Amino acid sequence: MAPPLDFSFKNLATLTDSLEEEPRKGTKLKDVPLQEGYTDIVTAVRYNNNSIHELGDLVPSITSLVVNPAAISWLDFSFNDITQLDDSLLQFPNMTTLYLHGNQLMSLNEVKRLSGLPCLRTLTLHGNPLEALDGYRQFVLGTLPSLKQLDFSSVTKQDRADAENWKKLCSKKMKMSKKKKVAE
């Protein structure tokens, strides 16, 4: 496996900006000729500690940088200025690890977008405004039941039970709310 393609601390404002930057030492770009017999494929890309606001240009950027975009299993967008997630993340179905801590995500609805990542096992969201919302951990675990780690903490059996109870409680509240609206 090749080392991560590392664009951390590059003062990037957009993902497209990474196309004009050299990654940190130890990483290989797509257009660097591979030595005969070299089979390492980049599976991780770090964009942490930049000023990235949106992920709309993720797919074209990754496609321009790596030989096999489908092999991407880890993306690090920690410590940026991301306010909402983009469906472009779903173009990486083998993603197991996604770091989003230290951004500006405010709505738990953003988490729902990640449910299309069947292999996602590790997710970080702490340090975002949404972390302060009631039921944050339960909602995330109820929405993404395949997670093994959330915010660098292992998911326990009790976490799973709490998430399931939270989901049932919220479902009942939604049904009651709908019945109330119909009655009015």
Side-chain angles (χ1 to χ4, degrees):
M1 182 184 317
L5 197 56
D6 191 352
F7 291 100
S8 58
F9 297 97
K10 292 285 191 171
N11 202 26
L12 304 176
T14 68
L15 295 171
T16 306
D17 291 346
S18 65
L19 302 178
E20 305 299 321
E21 289 284 336
E22 276 295 312
R24 295 195 168 293
K25 188 177 178 180
T27 57
K28 290 190 179 295
L29 289 174
K30 176 175 161 176
D31 53 349
V32 174
L34 297 178
Q35 299 169 351
E36 192 166 328
Y38 183 84
T39 58
D40 285 352
I41 301 289
V42 172
T43 60
V45 184
R46 293 180 182 152
Y47 287 108
N48 57 297
N49 294 281
N50 284 294
S51 300
I52 297 167
H53 293 276
E54 64 166 348
L55 302 176
D57 51 350
L58 177 61
V59 173
S61 297
I62 296 283
T63 301
S64 296
L65 293 168
V66 303
V67 174
N68 184 2
I72 296 297
S73 63
W74 176 34
L75 289 172
D76 184 350
F77 292 107
S78 58
F79 301 107
N80 277 285
D81 297 314
I82 298 166
T83 57
Q84 65 185 95
L85 301 180
D86 191 274
D87 288 340
S88 62
L89 288 168
L90 303 179
Q91 300 302 309
F92 303 95
N94 296 312
M95 189 172 343
T96 60
T97 303
L98 181 59
Y99 288 172
L100 292 165
H101 55 280
N103 278 285
Q104 296 301 315
L105 298 169
M106 296 186 169
S107 172
L108 289 172
N109 285 329
E110 296 302 318
V111 175
K112 290 180 183 178
R113 291 178 178 225
L114 302 177
S115 62
L117 295 170
C119 298
L120 191 63
R121 300 294 179 263
T122 302
L123 175 66
T124 62
L125 291 166
H126 61 281
N128 282 282
L130 61 76
E131 181 187 26
L133 298 174
D134 285 342
Y136 156 75
R137 187 169 179 86
Q138 294 85 357
F139 180 87
V140 173
L141 295 176
T143 304
L144 305 171
S146 64
L147 288 181
K148 303 282 186 213
Q149 277 198 338
L150 175 60
D151 296 335
F152 298 117
S153 292
S154 293
V155 176
T156 65
K157 288 180 183 179
Q158 186 62 52
D159 287 332
R160 295 243 180 262
D162 291 347
E164 189 59 35
N165 289 335
W166 179 263
K167 201 171 182 178
K168 286 177 185 175
L169 180 63
C170 289
S171 178
K172 284 181 184 177
K173 284 183 180 180
M174 294 276 288
K175 286 179 185 176
M176 290 174 62
S177 176
K178 285 180 184 178
K179 284 181 183 178
K180 188 177 179 181
K181 285 182 183 179
V182 170
E184 293 174 354

